[in-house]
Amino acid sequence: MQALRFVLAGGGTGGHLYPGIAVAHALRQRFPSAAVTFLTTTRPLDHQLLAPTTFAQVTQTVRPLSLHPLRLPGFLWHWRRSVARATRLFRAERPNAVLGLGGYAAGPPVVAARRLGIPTAILNPDAIPGRANRHLARYADLVIVQWDHSREHFPPGTKVAVLGCPIRAAFAGASGGHALFGLETGRPVLLVTGASQGARTVNEALVRVWPAFHKAHPEWQLLHLTGPSDEVAVRKAYAVAGVPATVLGFTAEMAAALAAADLVVARAGASTLAELTALGKPAILLPYPYHRDRHQHANGQVLVDQGAAVMLEDRLRPELNAAPLRTALDRLADETVRRAMAAAAAALGRPAAALEVAERLAALGGN
């Protein structure tokens, strides 16, 4: 019997690749001999995230779409080159199915697969689909979304499956965070994270708020994941203020960190929200403020509407963010409030999304 082959296309950001890696592991769990290849961008991050895995990586020179007269010819040249590369690859080793992970790097492989009659799907974990996914939906046999709300943003007749956002298997039943991070059991933990690169405006607001909050609520502990560039400054600020805090630039043990948390302050990226809901964690969300379509705000609103999170506007200045953040923290210091929010978050969670997406992708490919 010929080995199964799957192609996952996307990259450039962890938000695109992490769900794909989760699906790839689920495919291998379901079909141990399956060949899984990622078609990615040339950005170093893509290689960094895939290097620890056993999955093949093929890079594409495709660029983000630009309608600027001086940049459009370059985009078109690299687009055609990437479509041609995917076409050659698929003719040489025809995959059973191709999954687009979102973003511009998903485009050429999905288009090439459709032209060759290879089953295609796209993953859309954000509440509002980006420009690439809105375009690629016409080439896809199936659009996989995290939230039912996303259906309305695709053309009528689009086949949509609400399966959630794939996350790593480590988040299922995660534990051990207290010992790993030197936290005391029996005391509530505030986890602050701006994703892998951090969020400076969130970091600066916490530096202003934590000393006074800790004085009012001394039972609380802080685990602050700052991102590499802010780690030293944030650690120094807490030391100067004389307040205890565990500060890390980055951790690969995000599942353990979330498992230890009683309350989370975070951005509202699709994967972050999938992780929060999978573990049933109440959250204060400060969506990334620079996206034109404000898709993180739309993501966060799904949790807010269900009572699973509080959402604040990132006003980009720490002195403006501090007061509303302190108000939210004081309110959520109440365990009864947090318990209700945690239940609402858990009701939204789909911790088995990676396996469900893998099963659906295999079914598309006739397995």
Side-chain angles (χ1 to χ4, degrees), residues 120-142:
T120 60
I122 60 173
L123 181 64
N124 186 87
D126 285 308
I128 298 177
R131 180 168 55 184
N133 271 358
R134 291 197 304 271
H135 174 75
L136 289 178
R138 72 187 74 176
Y139 296 95
D141 298 295
L142 180 67

Side-chain angles (χ1 to χ4, degrees), residues 159-336:
K159 187 175 181 181
V160 177
V162 184
L163 302 181
C165 175
I167 57 175
R168 289 171 287 165
F171 285 91
S175 62
H178 287 82
L180 182 64
F181 298 107
L183 302 168
E184 294 182 36
T185 57
R187 294 177 56 200
V189 175
L190 173 64
L191 170 65
V192 179
T193 175
S196 59
Q197 297 305 306
R200 178 156 293 169
T201 52
V202 175
N203 292 340
E204 291 174 342
L206 256 296
V207 164
R208 286 177 173 252
V209 167
W210 177 247
F213 177 80
H214 184 265
K215 183 176 181 180
H217 306 277
E219 71 279 13
W220 278 81
Q221 306 171 85
L222 174 62
L223 174 57
H224 192 156
L225 307 179
T226 62
S229 61
D230 283 357
E231 179 181 2
V232 173
V234 170
R235 182 178 288 114
K236 181 179 179 180
Y238 290 140
V240 169
V243 289
T246 300
V247 178
L248 298 173
F250 172 78
T251 180
E253 304 296 336
M254 195 63 202
L258 274 176
D262 294 274
L263 176 63
V264 181
V265 175
R267 292 297 197 197
S271 292
T272 295
L273 301 191
E275 293 163 1
L276 287 171
T277 56
L279 290 177
K281 298 298 179 177
I284 299 171
L285 304 175
L286 287 93
Y288 185 72
Y290 295 108
H291 292 137
R292 286 184 182 180
D293 63 0
R294 290 170 63 86
H295 67 261
Q296 284 204 6
H297 290 77
N299 292 345
Q301 194 62 48
V302 176
L303 271 66
V304 171
D305 289 345
Q306 297 302 314
V310 171
M311 188 160 57
L312 306 177
E313 192 73 32
D314 185 346
R315 302 181 186 181
L316 304 179
R317 290 168 54 186
E319 67 272 19
L320 296 180
N321 285 335
L325 180 57
R326 173 64 194 277
T327 299
L329 285 171
D330 283 337
R331 178 189 163 212
L332 272 61
D334 185 326
E335 185 177 357
T336 302

